[in-house]
Amino acid sequence: MNVRVLLEAVQEGRMTIAEAEKSLRDLAFEATPFAHIDHHRLLRRGFPEVVYCEGKTTQQSAEIFSRLALKNPNVLATRAEPEVFEAVKEQLPEATYDELARCIHLHRDQAVSGYGTILVVTAGTADLPVAREAYVTAEIMGNKTVLISDVGVSGIHRLLAYKETLQSAAVIIVVAGMEGALPSVVGGLVDCPVIAVPTSVGYGASFGGVAALLAMLNGCSSGMTVVNIDNGFGAAYAASLMNRKRP
Amino acid sequence: MNVRVLLEAVQEGRMTIAEAEKSLRDLAFEATPFAHIDHHRLLRRGFPEVVYCEGKTTQQSAEIFSRLALKNPNVLATRAEPEVFEAVKEQLPEATYDELARCIHLHRDQAVSGYGTILVVTAGTADLPVAREAYVTAEIMGNKTVLISDVGVSGIHRLLAYKETLQSAAVIIVVAGMEGALPSVVGGLVDCPVIAVPTSVGYGASFGGVAALLAMLNGCSSGMTVVNIDNGFGAAYAASLMNRKRP
Amino acid sequence: MNVRVLLEAVQEGRMTIAEAEKSLRDLAFEATPFAHIDHHRLLRRGFPEVVYCEGKTTQQSAEIFSRLALKNPNVLATRAEPEVFEAVKEQLPEATYDELARCIHLHRDQAVSGYGTILVVTAGTADLPVAREAYVTAEIMGNKTVLISDVGVSGIHRLLAYKETLQSAAVIIVVAGMEGALPSVVGGLVDCPVIAVPTSVGYGASFGGVAALLAMLNGCSSGMTVVNIDNGFGAAYAASLMNRKRP
Amino acid sequence: MNVRVLLEAVQEGRMTIAEAEKSLRDLAFEATPFAHIDHHRLLRRGFPEVVYCEGKTTQQSAEIFSRLALKNPNVLATRAEPEVFEAVKEQLPEATYDELARCIHLHRDQAVSGYGTILVVTAGTADLPVAREAYVTAEIMGNKTVLISDVGVSGIHRLLAYKETLQSAAVIIVVAGMEGALPSVVGGLVDCPVIAVPTSVGYGASFGGVAALLAMLNGCSSGMTVVNIDNGFGAAYAASLMNRKRP
Amino acid sequence: MNVRVLLEAVQEGRMTIAEAEKSLRDLAFEATPFAHIDHHRLLRRGFPEVVYCEGKTTQQSAEIFSRLALKNPNVLATRAEPEVFEAVKEQLPEATYDELARCIHLHRDQAVSGYGTILVVTAGTADLPVAREAYVTAEIMGNKTVLISDVGVSGIHRLLAYKETLQSAAVIIVVAGMEGALPSVVGGLVDCPVIAVPTSVGYGASFGGVAALLAMLNGCSSGMTVVNIDNGFGAAYAASLMNRKRP
Amino acid sequence: MNVRVLLEAVQEGRMTIAEAEKSLRDLAFEATPFAHIDHHRLLRRGFPEVVYCEGKTTQQSAEIFSRLALKNPNVLATRAEPEVFEAVKEQLPEATYDELARCIHLHRDQAVSGYGTILVVTAGTADLPVAREAYVTAEIMGNKTVLISDVGVSGIHRLLAYKETLQSAAVIIVVAGMEGALPSVVGGLVDCPVIAVPTSVGYGASFGGVAALLAMLNGCSSGMTVVNIDNGFGAAYAASLMNRKRP
Amino acid sequence: MNVRVLLEAVQEGRMTIAEAEKSLRDLAFEATPFAHIDHHRLLRRGFPEVVYCEGKTTQQSAEIFSRLALKNPNVLATRAEPEVFEAVKEQLPEATYDELARCIHLHRDQAVSGYGTILVVTAGTADLPVAREAYVTAEIMGNKTVLISDVGVSGIHRLLAYKETLQSAAVIIVVAGMEGALPSVVGGLVDCPVIAVPTSVGYGASFGGVAALLAMLNGCSSGMTVVNIDNGFGAAYAASLMNRKRP
Amino acid sequence: MNVRVLLEAVQEGRMTIAEAEKSLRDLAFEATPFAHIDHHRLLRRGFPEVVYCEGKTTQQSAEIFSRLALKNPNVLATRAEPEVFEAVKEQLPEATYDELARCIHLHRDQAVSGYGTILVVTAGTADLPVAREAYVTAEIMGNKTVLISDVGVSGIHRLLAYKETLQSAAVIIVVAGMEGALPSVVGGLVDCPVIAVPTSVGYGASFGGVAALLAMLNGCSSGMTVVNIDNGFGAAYAASLMNRKRP
């Protein structure tokens, strides 16, 4: 069904807004020679398609970003090299760049729509780039977000000093490389959902984050779920869905 | 600090209930020769310790189950062989056994405390044991739970027929073996958290569930998180935390 | 047996053309210091040997290309860096270069000899280089070829919008990285052969395409076969054999 | 859309048969408590859903088999233990069992509908169970099928003795364990599609068929595609699609 | 050099006892048809060769045990099935069997020769068999040994309750399966050597202990070393060497 | 070319015996329904085809053994369960069975045709079954063969005691599991070819022999080559080729 | 508890020094925006936190180094690129740099506090960088340290020439890549603890040190423990704990 | 024992030359700060130590090369970058460099001491660097050596054209990447030892040569042995030992 036809039906009262909204969730995308941009993801999933830049040319990334910016207040690009930002900025001077996180964000609608605080915790300083990607994502998706860095398990008193902060969060994202033990310890201290993000920090038998990933999948603290290695974005996206205000 | 001393302090007004609750979260466990039973997990995490039977003797499993039953209304044992159930039933005749899920449940407090519906979906019939473990767990943790089986991606119209059910769930647990593609498709259709559970269903290059696990970790639908292979329990525990009513 | 002797025998009627053709399939190659060029592959397999440039020096690649061009109307070089193209172009100015696909093609005989359409479909924009390699190969082997990009499973409506195109293809090549779920969904919608090509697109637990490869090998849609990671050429070659006109 | 409504539309001439057929491809399935049986796969894909018995209970397998037998002339069950056959035979006395292949087949419509011959070739005697699964599947799907066993590469003259048979086949399925070298050699000799099936035959560093699988994925003969380890069924299903008569 | 010659040299004063001892370290063993029993390991390494029973026949294991018992006060056999114990007991009625640890021990010299306490700690109840192997080994090698079970990281307060015990040990052996996080936490609390023993406890992505092994190898607490999966014996042997009294 | 035609040509002097022998190397095999028995391997490779029993039925193994016994003086079957031996013995009462090696051997021609001694050395007692397979194979192929067991590197003096035996061998087969270090040490002591055989002896991170296999492939002693895990037969076959008398 | 309060309590005699020391072990750290510096590790573990530079920016590494230098006599930074040293030297001119080991050391307190000698042994010349990291670490932690290079097992006489040195060490660190056989041989010769360090030296099937790591984990010499690939620092830290003088 | 003492004993008749030779095999090496050069390897193993340059500094490699050149007529360095050759050439102008093989050779004694021909065969052109390393090594070790390139199994007639050359070799080294099938085919055609060398040629699921390595380890042609990936040197060294003239 064509979108115009649908909107006319709504205008003329032959279709309720609820019905129209549901139909629209399935329908529309914008076809370019290299991508099918899914504009209605905002309707269907509550947040627009995000530009994942790896494997795309600078021009492709920038063009998708611009097209999304025409129809959405907030746009995010992850894994973006500085040259992608340069290209975006020419079109959208208000876009900003987080160098550590390698994210471009256009944050025009800064309303906080989430229910509680999303807390991002890292085991070490080297886990910061991934944690920043999570932080930036959670924030642009309308959440109050807090970041605590370098409280890994080899000095457990550093973590325990933040017990109250941990126990008052709505969702916790725990970012850790090497042996990936921190999420299990955090998970045992709180009663909110914990999302574990393994990072590729480490060497030798860390196998680019596999050791941390396996540890997290085998975590003995119930209630923990896991995302891909270095996937700070995915963790924050999932956390945002968990932190939604309920009707 | 001793629990009795603490409670007296509360009774005599020297300590508020909030302070007492916080203290109790850190303190107590019951030491047996083979286990440190964590009775206060109910307070700290909102649900008592669950008995994971694999690697424990029948007697150890049954004894831990009984001790937990003294202090908690509901108790769950997972990966329980029938002989464990026999041993438990002698002590607790009201306990029941779900053969497919290999779970023993003592479900004395049947109140529904969760916010919305937890939906468990499987790709194939062979994924049912894992899905049942998730179902039983979600239910005993106080959630309205629904199970749909065998709607894998090779006949996508079967899944699409349930689109409304999918879009009205609070949390969705997607259980799939083989190529593990179902969670990505489901994730693209809904705006609630999706937890993917890879199963060891398959052969050859499925490597006991590794193929499905990797597919899920690389899932292109944002908002999806993953648990260990065949970990129906863990998925449901996490879903319960996400489905909690908020203050 | 010498080729000249054979041809004389044919000329003089001592050998039928059918016999001669069969003999030739086994016989000839051209020995250089670094390669045994299999000129009669055109006879035996219906298409000349293709130059796979990786691991060969620029000079070796260019020389093999030129020698093949002496005896075959169409020649293809894959995984060719621009400098190989420079070297080839000096000898064969009519050769062209597809930068995205990294292919050099000499397409002198543009007749379409295949039976139906070979359709190349990608899950994401980043899968395009591999898809282009498949496209270029299928085309130079005499097939009508169509390419659709970025219709992955996280927005299933984008794929379903092309259902008719999918169902009218003779062979479909599905190119996907990350979780590699697209071929299973496509396979469930059509009744022609589907060739799945995993790509190295992804990060972390995608392990350079292994996650996609495993997903495809475990695909639950019957009738799907798989080629090596990033092997767009091999998929198209196989598709061409499947798309041959029958006697 | 409801099937009855659709058929009435056809009866009354408001819909052509072609339109109706296309609609039906997407619609129907039969819901049981444990499975969604896809009866219209016959329409959509040209062959009914096959019962893969592994991971299903005997009763589930037998019931799905029977339901399929009500609506389809031919039914196949793979990975079926003898007790499944016993259960099926009670309902369907004309069903037969291939012990080596572990397949139950109900072969009521024995018409040969395929275009040419599907040839199944094995490297060793121990590869026979997988090859038989392929043979049985190809045959029940309406193909002329031939099986040659034990012509592995360590005595290449055994294979070369069958060169004419190889070169006259429409599709070749090559089944090999251990080092999996046979498909590459066969692929170099013929110009029809070659489907390679790795088997779990071997020990030590064969890793349950992984060595053969990797060899086949890296096969240097163009035009070869691969299926999962021990997946004789999948290879034959794909071969049947390739061997279809064209309109 | 022959042992008798050496001893005569000592007797006649041509060689000091220190020189003789050093020579003997390299020399002697007892050849049987299936084994070269290394009797002088007691001299060279401070403890006799231990019988590792896996892969040996019952008779071979029992015979080696008996021969060692002729020349050494204490003998240990690990990975011993009950029938090996039966065979040993016939010859050596004073031998005892630890069923959980699967160890046979002949403990005739019960002197405590080690410097401090070796503490064995487990993460869960299912890790007990490996922990018992470590306990039995450390004890028979002359150490004061203590075992604490089930103090894993998901309830960190259970571990912290034993902080004093941990900080007063001479060497700590930490036994953990699943995510293997416990040794890192323990290592951060103490200043003695910590030996981490991964166990095969777990399922799915624990890969028979690999997840725990990798976590331990990547442990962020300095001073931790690791042994093979389930190698309780090796950990205790190493701990005994670390706990030796110094001259 | 037909064998009879060939032999007549020899008889009539139109072909020399050398030419005939060469032709025969490529030609003959005996086709059964399940195997292509390669009788002329004796001519081509100097020893008849060996029956590898794993994956074959008892009847298949016994029948191939018997057919080989009709045309060859010596026949060997490896990986043979006792019931295969029972079946063979009925037909060939002079066949014998080595239980440890799981080999059936028919050793009618006991001439020693090899040049020097093949020495088989094991690291531990548990490596004996593989070493015996090597021993039995080398012997039936006409070699003087010696076996030394349990001289692993943890007591290096045991190995050094055999230095002369090692240095006088023509070929050495070193059989070792666990860390697989023995072949490197042996290789550094001798100047004859060393064949390393990894065994599946070990547990945990030995991964069924992978640890030993990798160690051997990385062995720092030049001149060492490696065969598959537990492949005692293959090592001995290769050693026999190396030990051939030269013309 | 606050540190000042604690110290006053000590000053006023309400708390013994021993009690205060124990309390301090749990308490203090210094929070910066990117790290929680654990100053009291010196008290708790006997040596200050070490700066692991990989994954930290030059500025972060240098700043942490400087802060540690304010409160500790000796500071070590590992995996430090030359530019980190440049940054450190500006603040702390007495710091020195070991290029091979990539370590920065500030060695103000050169007292030898360890009990005996720590011996570092390498299999090959290419293992030197890792061995140097171990050497530098052991030395700065107050140990007499000796390094012997290139005594691998392919020329076993080179190792045996150092037998006395080996047998008089307090702890031995054995550094080896490729097949990792050296620690097993060393372990069999001595009665002190042996720490095996696999290195990433090798190619092909060494898999970046995995072959050596697995060999060491499976080492047949009892008493050996293992650290991560290339982790010279960790080995030396552990050795230092083992070499502590006892009260 | 000192070498001079030994030689005097020989001179004075107190020791036979045979005894002296044997003693020398165990004794001597030259200690430098970074290496223990094993000069007597020439005596012990028949060829001097070879310089493996990877992981050594240019200066270390060149110095070891020069020291070996003082005492040995022929010296070989493998994996040598051009700058190492520059450094060597300054000292030893007669040294030459094979760029493809990355080998430096000083070939002063060009006598052919081997028994027959060592044949090096490659599957493809890209395998040439490894094959050249084998060729150069075999030649400098005194063997008649022949190289045939690019006769892989996808055009089996190219290999069969060389059957006589194959069957007249003393030892064959088969170098192949990708699926590694060539050694099995060659092994089935000849009766001399075949050494298989997997190469890292390939992409995707070739995993840097692992696919070829596994295929070769599982090769069904008896008599084949395998070396590490890309180890042309090791294959040739082993082939030289097999090709030695016998006393």
Side-chain angles (χ1 to χ4, degrees), chain A residues 152-156 160 178-182 184-185 187-189 202-207 210-212 214-222 224, chain E residues 152-156 160 178-182 184-185 187-189 202-207 210-212 214-222 224:
Chain A
V153 300
S154 69
I156 198 78
L160 297 179
M178 297 173 82
E179 88 271 61
L182 187 58
S184 286
V185 178
L189 295 170
Y203 62 92
S206 88
F207 299 127
V210 169
L214 293 184
M216 290 169 183
L217 287 168
N218 287 284
C220 52
S221 288
S222 311
M224 202 164 102
Chain E
V153 300
S154 68
I156 198 78
L160 298 178
M178 299 173 80
E179 87 270 61
L182 188 57
S184 286
V185 178
L189 296 170
Y203 63 91
S206 89
F207 300 127
V210 169
L214 293 183
M216 291 169 182
L217 286 168
N218 287 284
C220 52
S221 289
S222 311
M224 203 164 100

Side-chain angles (χ1 to χ4, degrees), chain C residues 159-171:
Chain C
L159 179 71
L160 297 178
Y162 290 98
K163 209 186 313 185
E164 282 187 47
T165 312
L166 292 164
Q167 289 178 344
S168 64
V171 188

